[in-house]
Amino acid sequence: MKTKLVLTLFVLFGLCCFAAFKIDDNPFSALIKKLEAYNQDNPQEKVHLHLDKPYYAIGDDIWFKAYIINATTSQPSEISNILYVELINEADSVKKQIKLPVIGGFTWGDFKLTDSLPEGNYRIRAYTQWMRNAGPEFFFDKTLKIGNSWANKVFTRTKYSFSTEKNAEKVNTQLTFTDKTGKAYSGNEVNYVVQIDNKNISKGKALTNSNGEINFDFLNNKPELKSSGKITATIELPGKKKVVKLIPITATSNAIDVQFFPEGGNLVENIPSKLGIKAINSAGLGKDITGSIVDNEGTEITKFNTTHLGMGNVILNPQPGKTYNAIVKFEDGSDQKIKLPQALPEGYVLSVNHLDTSKITVKIYLSSNVLGKGELKLLAQNNGNVFSVFTTKTEKQLVIINIPKKDLPMGILQLTLFGPDNKPVCERLTFVQNQTDLTNLQVQSDRKTYNKRDSVQLTLTSTTDNKPVQGIFSMSVTNTSVVQPDEDNESNIFTTFLLTSDLAGYVEKPNYYFLHKDPAAQSDLDNLLLTQGWRRFSWKTFTGNANPPATYKAEKSLAISGTLTTLGGKPIEKGKVSLFSSSGGLFMIDTLTDANGRFNFDKLLFSDSTKFVVQGRNAKNKKNVEIKLDLVPKQVVTKNKNTGDIEVNINEAISSYITKSENYFDELTKRGLLQRTIMLNEVNIIEKKNKAPNSANLNGAGHADAIITADQLGTCTTLSQCLQGRVAGLMIRDGKAYLMRNGNTPMRIVLDGMNMDADFLDNIVPQEVETIEVLKSIGNTAIYGMNGGGGILVITTKRGGGNYGSVYTPGIMVYTQKGYYTPRQFYSPRYTPESSSQPDLRTTVYWNPQIITSTSGTAKVGYFNTDQSGTYRVVTEGMNRVGQLARTVYTYEVN
């Protein structure tokens, strides 16, 4: 990584001097080199997903395009080649996970929202294994509203009101139950359980009144904690059918948390400082406040107020011997006294002004008692790239440094001030608005207005510095009369890569800061950075003696690796390891272990969940070995950080959209293009216990001529010994199983769903077998075709139904690994005069994840409008071949 290093010194009332120096000649260079080395070894990755819509209905498809960049180079190179994308429900449980191959920093995929999925606040989470080293707070994590009208029999509406009872927060809850037409469920029994922070705190039973309502209270006995949770309500419908509803609890009080953040980190006596202000309610949303600052004698010093989403700032010049409090006034007329941070008797204050379009002005204030004590250094970096280092002597109480914006990339600039001992003393984030660092993307249509079902031809043009540039883009087209955008709250390629991926915590309405270019919006963005800091790494990492190792490696391909050892744990050199799979056809590959017993099968290609058999032998072809696979632990699902995006009444919030979606799904169902789940009444079925519940028997688990279970295998040393004389007509010869009627054709072995050769029988340890199903009659072997001619032994091991193998038997292991998901293709009809007259009510008009502009910077896109009039919104975003971002929104009318 190349680093631009410039020394620029500005001293008030003195001459401005400019000097360049070699990094090797400066005592600060060791720290910079350590930072550079760290960034080269730990190139933090960022992921963004372009979603086709902001909210969905059950039955919809979620289409998305993923962009990954290397944060230290701002280019889609030298990054992980595998992306994990998850759909997470309100219970913080992963409902779906797919693995996608990444090529050149791009990939795409989709989720199908089946009608068995309940409505709720779902999350799309995306990350690479390498990103896990930085922590889940920097994953792509977006909350989506998913409503259900099409397959939903019960609609709920919830109202909360808050009060206090002794030292607890009291929440009065009103739940209303109706059908989709609004008709109340009256006289129905409802059981409810209230959970706060995953603990049951209340439960009860009630009958709905004539309006379909039940009312109950619950208490939060730990109001000092920011609490959230859920209500699980089960209503019984006619026919004893029970419907379960999960209802979010986003807050347990009306309390507002107010914090004050000194610019740069600390207040210092006799130095004027800016204090950032942030006020949020219990649901995590900003709440505007007013107030004043008073000293310890009760004298009012100044007044303040927040300007946007509960954020603002105020100037304070703390005096020696004084302490300060903020008297905060809330909308309801109440007030609160908050103690401000104590001012230090000596130190430094960092002040930043970014409003000048050409430069960032940094002021460094020094208290009198730190003058003349050496040099200060100001380091400016973006995404770990060091752009400038400025040094100055501590001879004046005010130093001004100007940083030209034209040399800086667009995004967050981290400014760190180091004291004479090279320890960080102040830090400040600011945002660089440098439009020249972006790709200019334009979309033009062949017409401005169209009719329904008209053909639309769009032309994309991408340029940088007024020159054509190649790029790869995704495009979604929706009708704003159906899909109503919330532009301020949108997540897009700018908000993710330039803002939220570098900030821990929830950022409310992130696109507001990019939609509005006026000074007020820029000031609001500065207040956000004053109050919500960068925490990708700690400076202790570089000022200490050692860098923390990366726990997770960047995945370049699908691989199966591990270690081959003796039964005593000693690594085996030049051991033979074989990998088998019959999923999608027979597959086999061999390799030898290295001096440490390590083996690795990489650059594999397989889909979804594929079963493998790993077989190991030592150099003398003996099977008394142990196989230890490298199993990466699953990523824990953390609590949703985007609390402000959680909607209590989902169906009500997007009622217009799900109503129109219902018409679309009904039409598809009538035409046989969509299937619905039919819920049957509860039936009690009494049957015999299946002796082989985890079997991969193609006839169905347990459908066999004979079944041998684990308790019948306890005294055998080999499976051939276990089978000898156990089943009529089955004999063992040379370690292979035969049926007497089939002569010299041995029985095939199916081990946990995989076809194995007949001589594999005694490689399987009997104590690890759960069941053996013997298929010998034509009725049970016919389904296996030619492979079933000699009979089949369906062998299920004791972990056969699991996802991962374990070290369970010498010389062999069965292992299931998730492979690549194959994305579906978005359906876009082509209309002709002879086309069907069936209504076209698509909610996503068009979706294309792979639009590549030519060397002339252009690309053509074509599709057809639907049968719905309105304003059609075309959102296109992506990046050019060197990683510069681009986004544009274009609209046209359909009559």
Side-chain angles (χ1 to χ4, degrees), residues 523-630:
S523 178
D524 294 335
L525 175 56
D526 196 51
N527 287 330
L528 171 69
L529 298 182
L530 266 175
T531 57
Q532 201 157 324
W534 168 296
R535 286 299 175 266
R536 269 194 188 276
F537 59 79
S538 169
W539 277 111
K540 292 181 180 178
T541 302
F542 309 105
T543 56
N545 295 323
N547 291 339
T551 304
Y552 302 98
K553 297 181 179 179
E555 290 181 293
K556 294 301 181 181
S557 67
L558 293 176
I560 296 176
S561 62
T563 306
L564 192 68
T565 68
T566 65
L567 297 181
K570 182 179 179 180
I572 296 175
E573 183 179 3
K574 296 184 179 179
K576 182 181 178 181
V577 182
S578 302
L579 185 68
F580 305 88
S581 178
S582 61
S583 300
L586 184 63
F587 166 84
M588 183 178 70
I589 190 172
D590 295 327
T591 190
L592 296 177
T593 59
D594 62 16
N596 298 315
R598 298 283 304 161
F599 64 88
N600 183 30
F601 299 100
D602 62 354
K603 298 181 181 178
L604 302 176
L605 288 174
F606 52 90
S607 61
D608 204 7
S609 295
T610 301
K611 281 188 177 181
F612 294 93
V613 172
V614 186
Q615 178 180 277
R617 296 290 185 267
N618 62 21
K620 296 181 179 180
N621 204 35
K622 300 296 183 181
K623 63 182 180 181
N624 292 326
V625 298
E626 282 190 331
I627 302 168
K628 300 177 180 178
L629 294 182
D630 299 327

Side-chain angles (χ1 to χ4, degrees), residues 351-356 359-363 400-403 405 415:
S351 177
V352 176
N353 187 329
H354 69 104
L355 294 180
D356 191 308
K359 65 180 183 295
I360 296 172
T361 300
V362 181
K363 293 182 179 181
I400 300 178
I401 297 174
N402 292 314
I403 306 175
K405 289 185 177 180
L415 299 167

Side-chain angles (χ1 to χ4, degrees), residues 87-95 117-118 121-123 246 637:
L87 181 67
I88 302 173
N89 67 8
E90 288 181 320
D92 295 329
S93 174
V94 177
K95 301 303 295 180
L117 200 71
N121 296 275
Y122 287 79
R123 296 156 60 189
L246 296 181
V637 180

